[in-house]
Amino acid sequence: MEIALVTVLYKSDAVLTGFFKTLSLQSFKQYHLYLIDNSPSATSDQLLQTLLAAYPVPAYTHIKKSRQLRGCQR
């Protein structure tokens, strides 16, 4: 059985290292990590790649939301 882990990021660079360290300590490894990034930047992309190399996850999807998608749409 695989589960989905969903986390929403908004200017979260300062806490991502702790998040990935904690996630790596989990014994259950059958998950897919979804990162919903509401504030994507060049530095957050690089940090994410560095953390994924240091703390591998079984599977992940990085969804970058553009500014045009914020708020209600009609």
Side-chain angles (χ1 to χ4, degrees):
M1 176 173 86
E2 183 178 86
I3 64 169
L5 298 177
V6 180
T7 188
V8 178
L9 309 174
Y10 182 77
K11 299 185 181 188
S12 302
D13 291 0
V15 297
L16 278 179
T17 300
F19 173 79
F20 276 94
K21 279 183 182 180
T22 301
L23 190 59
S24 73
L25 298 174
Q26 300 304 309
S27 60
F28 186 81
K29 299 294 184 187
Q30 294 175 306
Y31 63 86
H32 189 112
L33 176 62
Y34 292 90
L35 300 157
I36 313 300
D37 196 344
N38 286 330
S39 61
S41 70
T43 57
S44 62
D45 283 346
Q46 181 58 44
L47 177 59
L48 184 57
Q49 292 307 313
T50 300
L51 291 171
L52 286 167
Y55 306 102
V57 298
Y60 79 96
T61 301
H62 184 200
I63 301 167
K64 299 178 198 176
K65 296 190 80 174
S66 69
R67 294 180 192 262
Q68 291 88 5
L69 295 177
R70 294 189 183 164
C72 295
Q73 296 195 10
R74 296 181 187 253

